[in-house]
C-alpha cells in the first residue's frame, strides 16, 4: 500500500467511475483498475461494490476511505510545512495586522517581499488585536502587527517593538468645530466619535475626559476606508494614527483637530505598534523574512519622517 493507491481510491469514490477517475488522475483505465485491485489484495477484501451502479465503497471500503483521506491530507500538510520551513521559493505565509498598519506599513512591506520572493503565497488579514490574538493562538497565522501593550506581559506571546504611532483626531472640512477659535476636549463629546477598536489605555483616557465610567466610540469598524468616508460625510470625529490619515489631511479632505487642554503627542493616544508572535514556536523562513522587511520599511519611514 502506498499514498498513490490511496489517492486513486479517493478519486474513485469521488468520480464513481473507473474511467472518469483514471482520467482525473492522468493514467490509463487498466492501470487504474490494477492499482485498486492491488489495494484490495493487500487488505484481503473487496473495497468497491462493483455490482452497484454508483460503485459505492463496501463497509471495509468506507473504513479504508476514512483513513485514506486522513493519511493523504496529513502527507500534504507535512510536505507543505517542511517546504515552508526550509524554502523561500515556495510555500505559504499567513499573518495579520491591525487597520492602521494596513494603510501604509504593511502594503509597502508586502510589495517589497513580493518582489524578493514572488513564489511565496502571501495572505494577510486585517482585523483588531483581540481577534488577531485568537487567530494566532489557533495557529491560523504566524504573527501579527498591532499595539503590543496587551501582549508584553503575557508569557504566551513574544513581542518586537516598531516605532510608536501617534494618535490624532480628525474631522471633515466645514465641521462646526472648526468655526471655534479654541477647542476643549469637552467639545469633542458633542459629536459622534468614529474609530477602530481602541486599546484600553486610550479608552480609559477618553472615559476620564468625558466624565464617564467607560467609553465606547459611536462608530466602530476595522475597515479604515469606510471610517474615513464616514468622517468626510458627517459630523463624526475620527480617531486613529496620524500616518493613516496624513494623505487625506495633505489633500484637504480631512482636517486635524487640536484640543487646548490635551498635550500634543500624549503617550496614551499613541499606539505602541509592534510584531506579536507565539512564544516557543519557530517562525517559517517566509515569516522571518517578512518581519525583517517590516522592520526595514518601518525604519525607513522613521528616517523620512525625521
Amino acid at each position: 500500500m502506498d499514498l498513490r493507491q490511496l489517492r486513486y481510491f479517493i478519486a474513485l469514490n469521488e468520480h464513481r467511475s473507473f474511467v472518469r477517475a483514471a482520467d482525473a488522475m492522468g493514467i490509463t483505465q487498466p492501470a487504474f483498475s490494477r492499482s485498486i485491485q492491488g489495494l484490495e489484495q493487500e487488505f484481503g477484501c473487496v473495497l468497491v461494490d462493483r455490482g452497484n451502479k454508483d460503485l459505492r465503497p463496501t463497509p471495509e471500503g468506507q473504513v479504508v476511505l476514512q483513513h485514506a483521506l486522513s493519511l493523504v491530507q496529513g502527507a500534504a500538510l507535512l510536505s507543505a510545512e517542511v517546504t515552508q520551513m526550509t524554502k523561500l521559493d515556495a510555500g505559504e505565509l499567513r499573518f495579520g495586522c491591525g487597520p492602521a498598519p494596513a494603510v501604509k506599513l504593511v502594503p509597502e512591506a508586502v510589495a517589497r517581499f513580493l518582489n524578493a520572493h514572488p513564489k511565496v503565497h502571501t495572505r494577510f488579514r486585517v482585523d483588531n488585536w483581540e481577534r488577531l490574538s485568537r487567530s494566532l493562538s489557533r495557529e491560523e497565522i504566524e504573527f501579527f502587527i498591532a499595539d503590543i501593550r496587551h501582549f508584553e506581559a503575557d508569557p504566551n506571546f513574544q513581542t518586537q517593538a516598531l516605532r510608536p504611532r501617534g494618535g490624532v483626531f480628525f474631522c471633515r472640512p466645514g465641521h462646526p468645530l472648526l468655526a471655534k477659535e479654541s477647542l476643549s476636549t469637552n467639545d469633542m463629546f458633542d459629536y459622534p466619535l468614529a474609530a477602530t477598536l481602541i486599546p484600553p489605555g486610550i479608552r480609559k483616557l477618553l472615559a476620564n475626559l468625558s466624565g464617564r465610567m467607560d467609553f465606547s466610540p459611536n462608530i466602530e469598524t476595522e475597515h479604515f476606508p469606510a471610517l474615513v468616508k464616514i468622517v468626510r460625510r458627517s459630523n463624526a470625529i475620527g480617531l486613529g494614527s496620524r500616518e493613516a490619515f496624513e494623505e487625506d489631511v495633505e489633500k484637504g479632505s480631512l482636517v486635524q483637530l487640536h484640543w487646548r487642554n490635551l498635550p500634543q503627542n500624549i503617550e496614551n493616544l499613541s499606539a505602541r505598534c509592534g510584531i506579536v508572535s507565539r512564544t516557543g514556536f519557530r517562525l517559517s523562513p517566509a515569516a522571518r523574512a517578512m518581519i525583517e522587511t517590516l522592520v526595514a520599511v518601518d525604519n525607513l519611514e522613521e528616517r523620512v519622517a525625521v
Side-chain angles (χ1 to χ4, degrees), residues 166-170 182-189 193 201-210 237-240 242 256-270:
V168 286
F169 296 88
F170 293 91
S182 179
L183 294 176
S184 164
T185 51
N186 290 332
D187 299 317
M188 177 196 315
F189 301 104
L193 185 69
I202 298 177
R203 186 168 173 170
K204 182 179 180 181
L205 172 66
L206 293 172
N208 291 337
L209 291 172
S210 65
I237 297 171
L239 170 61
R242 180 178 286 102
Q256 184 174 343
L257 292 167
H258 300 278
W259 317 101
R260 66 174 182 270
N261 58 329
L262 191 64
Q264 293 296 310
N265 300 320
I266 184 170
E267 183 179 355
N268 280 353
L269 277 179
S270 295

Side-chain angles (χ1 to χ4, degrees), residues 4-35:
R4 176 180 51 83
Q5 288 177 301
L6 296 179
R7 290 191 183 98
Y8 290 169
F9 187 59
I10 292 170
L12 180 60
N13 183 68
E14 291 176 350
H15 295 280
R16 305 296 173 138
S17 162
F18 279 88
V19 174
R20 290 195 298 271
D23 185 60
M25 300 306 292
I27 64 171
T28 64
Q29 189 269 326
F32 184 90
S33 296
R34 285 196 297 272
S35 180

Side-chain angles (χ1 to χ4, degrees), residues 90-269:
E92 184 177 80
L93 168 65
R94 292 178 181 268
F95 70 98
C97 68
V103 175
K104 188 175 181 180
L105 173 62
V106 170
E108 177 63 27
V110 170
R112 291 189 177 206
F113 181 85
L114 181 63
N115 288 334
H117 312 290
K119 293 185 179 180
V120 176
H121 295 279
T122 304
R123 291 171 172 79
F124 69 91
R125 58 176 291 193
V126 181
D127 213 329
N128 64 58
W129 46 271
E130 284 186 335
R131 285 195 284 264
L132 288 174
S133 66
R134 290 196 289 269
S135 292
L136 183 65
S137 297
R138 292 194 296 263
E139 302 185 24
E140 297 169 352
I141 55 177
E142 290 195 71
F143 67 90
F144 64 87
I145 308 102
D147 194 308
I148 62 175
R149 280 176 287 194
H150 331 290
F151 308 101
E152 287 177 308
D154 191 328
N156 295 310
F157 298 102
Q158 183 174 322
T159 61
Q160 181 176 348
L162 298 172
R163 61 188 177 89
R165 266 64 179 177
V168 286
F169 296 88
F170 293 91
C171 68
R172 65 174 176 84
H175 193 286
L177 284 177
L178 298 178
K180 294 189 174 186
E181 292 185 3
S182 179
L183 294 176
S184 164
T185 51
N186 290 332
D187 299 317
M188 177 196 315
F189 301 104
D190 292 334
Y191 299 92
L193 185 69
T196 60
L197 181 67
I198 52 178
I202 298 177
R203 186 168 173 170
K204 182 179 180 181
L205 172 66
L206 293 172
N208 291 337
L209 291 172
S210 65
R212 306 174 192 174
M213 293 294 294
D214 196 5
F215 185 89
S216 295
N218 303 77
I219 302 102
E220 188 175 288
T221 177
E222 307 310 320
H223 191 269
F224 234 98
L227 189 151
V228 169
K229 187 170 287 188
I230 290 168
V231 173
R232 283 181 190 158
R233 298 187 179 185
S234 72
N235 283 337
I237 297 171
L239 170 61
S241 70
R242 180 178 286 102
E243 67 177 10
F245 289 96
E246 62 186 358
E247 288 188 10
D248 293 278
V249 173
E250 290 172 1
K251 291 186 296 186
S253 58
L254 288 176
V255 179
Q256 184 174 343
L257 292 167
H258 300 278
W259 317 101
R260 66 174 182 270
N261 58 329
L262 191 64
Q264 293 296 310
N265 300 320
I266 184 170
E267 183 179 355
N268 280 353
L269 277 179

